[in-house]
Amino acid sequence: MRVEFDRETCIGMFQCVAEWEGFERDEDAGKAVLVDSEEEEPGKFVREVPDDAELDAKFAARVCPVDAITIHEDGEQIVP
């Protein structure tokens, strides 16, 4: 399972931070940060989701008010 985070879309509500430790606050920028991610293209960050964090990652994606977080499995987007 893989998470993709569009930092440009993020509005800094930090609801994802409350749901999964894979996200942290960047108070200076007013946006979340996807921990241990790689910037796949400008503003788009990706990382694999550990097996024991799959449910939390899905919740983080579901609570994002602007759908800046998507979850993919086997090449298909499953959340949201």
Side-chain angles (χ1 to χ4, degrees):
M1 180 176 292
R2 167 181 157 124
V3 60
E4 295 183 4
F5 173 57
D6 185 343
R7 189 170 161 93
E8 300 297 319
T9 301
C10 178
I11 60 172
M13 296 297 293
F14 302 121
Q15 293 173 329
C16 57
V17 175
E19 294 297 334
W20 181 36
E21 63 187 26
F23 284 97
E24 293 180 347
R25 291 174 177 258
D26 180 347
E27 297 288 346
D28 293 332
K31 298 191 180 262
V33 173
L34 181 57
V35 178
D36 297 329
S37 65
E38 295 181 16
E39 192 168 16
E40 189 171 73
E41 56 188 65
K44 184 178 178 182
F45 296 83
V46 299
R47 71 171 272 192
E48 291 298 315
V49 178
D51 291 341
D52 63 345
E54 289 181 353
L55 188 58
D56 292 339
K58 288 177 184 177
F59 277 127
R62 286 188 179 110
V63 300
C64 180
V66 293
D67 293 334
I69 305 164
T70 55
I71 305 293
H72 300 260
E73 191 166 42
D74 298 326
E76 291 188 39
Q77 183 175 322
I78 60 171
V79 179

